[in-house]
Amino acid sequence: MRTPALTSRLRPFTSTIFAEITELARRTEAVNLGQGFPDTDGPSGMLNRARRAIGEGVNQYPPGPGEPELRAAISAQREADYGLAHDPDTEVLVTVGATEAMSAAMTALLEPGEEVLLIEPYYDAYPVAVAMAGGVHRSVPLRPSDTGFALDTAALRAAVGPRTRAVVLNSPHNPTGTVFTEAELAAVAEVCRDNDLIAVTDEVYEHLVFDGPAHRPLATLPGMAERTLSVSSAGKSFSVTGWKIGWVCGPAELVAAVRAAKQFMTFVGGAPFQPAVAHALRAERDWLAEHRADLHRKRDRLSAGLSRAGFGVLPSHGTYFVCADVRPLGYSDGSEFCRALPERVGVAAIPPQVLCDDPSRIRHLVRFAFCKRDEVLDEAVERLLRLG
């Protein structure tokens, strides 16, 4: 039987290593720092608002664009934090998590064969979303060093071709923990303006920046508001990754195109969670500040432990993740290291090289998640110390 065309297009992106390591972690009872699942819940006021919504009968389809209360809260948050004004009726769309927002955006924007620039290592859903829309992705590298990761802006400019339609920018960046600098954002904006490209920005970690200035959306740069679709969600910021409440904001024409694609994907989702997220955006800012400070502390706790265990630890300025160099421990390949680690010392990590078209630049790196309880992080470090 002939392999379906879509299956063939997606085959290059269907790495099994995530499933392998998850299964190894389960079988060996390893401390799983591979997956970015927080092990604490979000603010009690938000959780109680969801419970109340269920009891009040908010259990049927919400409006297609999302509950008006939530769209208004998203619009208010964007204006308060970044000075970006979005009409909640036409320029804000609620989605089933940020992943659906990205997939719907690619479906809406791309004609078959058009190209999208991805910055690698990329979140694994990006190339899949492009391929499912019939598009083609081209990768631009983040280059690692002891001081962190830097965008190759010359490679970004060189990657633009006559069929390039869009650029995807993820900042704060998963898997590296990088927060793009003002100069890097300016370079991305310049490439978009000079080549009439649309930017699709994944900002799900927008509130989880630990050092230096706060998150700066690409849409705030000159000439970018009219050509940027900004994607975010509640999952990471408010520690409810299972709720899958995301959103996309941008010019009405672009948001309408995304809405046209989205309505035939999931139609709607998460009715009782939408008023709870609206509450969180309005009323849980103090909790969010405490959450950010706690994650900052956990980042430092894990980074110090990894250094004691012999890793070369790269800076992480946001997200849930820190990357570490395995070469000081006598390894050269992160995938081999991660496959051996659960059985060797009972810890799971992820090799970001599987999130690249060209893995050579970061083959020596592994990614650990620090969004765990202190005792979990400490146990992982104690086990990793056995590597020495």
Side-chain angles (χ1 to χ4, degrees):
M1 184 171 62
R2 189 177 68 179
T3 302
L6 180 58
T7 303
S8 297
R9 292 207 307 274
L10 297 185
R11 186 172 290 120
F13 317 119
T14 54
S15 171
T16 62
I17 194 166
F18 296 108
E20 277 182 60
I21 291 172
T22 300
E23 175 57 21
L24 277 170
R26 185 197 64 78
R27 181 159 51 81
T28 60
E29 297 184 345
V31 179
N32 192 345
L33 300 189
Q35 293 175 308
F37 299 166
D39 58 7
T40 55
D41 278 333
S44 59
M46 178 187 70
L47 303 178
N48 288 333
R49 184 67 186 90
R51 295 185 187 100
R52 193 167 89 238
I54 292 171
E56 292 170 348
V58 185
N59 301 304
Q60 309 308 325
Y61 293 138
E67 285 289 355
E69 177 188 8
L70 177 54
R71 286 184 277 122
I74 294 165
S75 177
Q77 177 259 317
R78 298 278 291 176
E79 185 157 21
D81 287 351
Y82 312 125
L84 292 167
H86 300 289
D87 183 336
D89 292 328
T90 61
E91 297 181 334
V92 180
L93 172 67
V94 177
T95 59
V96 180
T99 300
E100 186 195 42
M102 297 296 297
S103 292
M106 294 301 108
T107 300
L109 295 176
L110 298 181
E111 297 293 338
E114 289 188 327
E115 296 175 353
V116 178
L117 304 186
L118 303 182
I119 295 169
E120 67 174 25
Y122 40 64
Y123 183 60
D124 59 356
Y126 300 162
V128 173
V130 173
M132 289 180 67
V136 177
H137 80 270
R138 292 186 179 275
S139 293
V140 177
L142 286 176
R143 298 193 181 278
S145 71
D146 292 343
T147 58
F149 293 83
L151 177 64
D152 189 333
T153 55
L156 178 70
R157 294 185 182 94
V160 178
R163 295 190 62 79
T164 306
R165 173 68 165 149
V167 177
V168 174
L169 180 72
N170 173 209
S171 181
H173 183 266
N174 174 14
T176 66
T178 296
V179 176
F180 285 82
T181 66
E182 287 287 323
E184 289 169 332
L185 292 174
V188 174
E190 182 180 58
V191 167
C192 290
R193 292 191 303 265
D194 289 351
N195 297 280
D196 193 24
L197 306 182
I198 294 171
V200 184
T201 62
D202 182 347
E203 304 176 37
V204 298
Y205 293 100
E206 61 181 300
H207 300 295
L208 305 182
V209 177
F210 310 129
D211 306 291
H215 170 64
R216 173 85 184 272
L218 188 67
T220 61
L221 272 67
M224 292 306 296
E226 59 266 34
R227 63 174 66 251
T228 301
L229 285 168
S230 304
V231 173
S232 194
S233 76
K236 304 302 191 301
S237 296
F238 294 104
S239 200
V240 283
T241 59
W243 283 14
K244 300 298 291 179
I245 300 296
W247 50 85
V248 57
C249 304
E253 181 181 7
L254 293 181
V255 171
V258 178
R259 184 168 65 245
K262 178 260 187 301
Q263 68 180 327
F264 295 109
M265 292 179 176
T266 59
F267 183 48
V268 292
F273 302 134
Q274 293 192 28
V277 172
H279 163 86
L281 289 172
R282 291 193 308 265
E284 301 290 357
R285 306 290 284 191
D286 289 344
W287 181 92
L288 186 56
E290 292 172 5
H291 180 52
R292 179 170 53 249
D294 193 43
L295 283 169
H296 187 164
R297 181 185 57 78
K298 290 176 185 292
R299 179 205 66 179
D300 292 346
R301 190 185 196 102
L302 179 59
S303 295
L306 293 173
S307 293
R308 292 203 325 270
F311 292 88
V313 181
L314 279 70
S316 168
H317 299 297
T319 74
Y320 287 167
F321 307 110
V322 61
C323 285
D325 188 342
V326 300
R327 291 175 297 186
L329 295 167
Y331 287 83
S332 60
D333 188 285
S335 287
E336 292 178 3
F337 178 86
C338 289
R339 285 187 168 100
L341 196 60
E343 292 186 336
R344 185 172 175 191
V345 298
V347 177
I350 290 295
Q353 69 189 67
V354 301
L355 304 173
C356 296
D357 296 336
D358 178 4
S360 62
R361 298 180 188 89
I362 61 169
R363 195 179 299 278
H364 56 289
L365 299 180
V366 297
R367 187 197 76 178
F368 294 94
F370 52 80
C371 52
K372 311 294 180 182
R373 297 188 308 276
D374 287 352
E375 58 267 29
V376 174
L377 298 177
D378 292 346
E379 176 62 24
V381 169
E382 288 302 312
R383 296 184 183 193
L384 290 168
L385 287 169
R386 301 175 202 159
L387 290 168

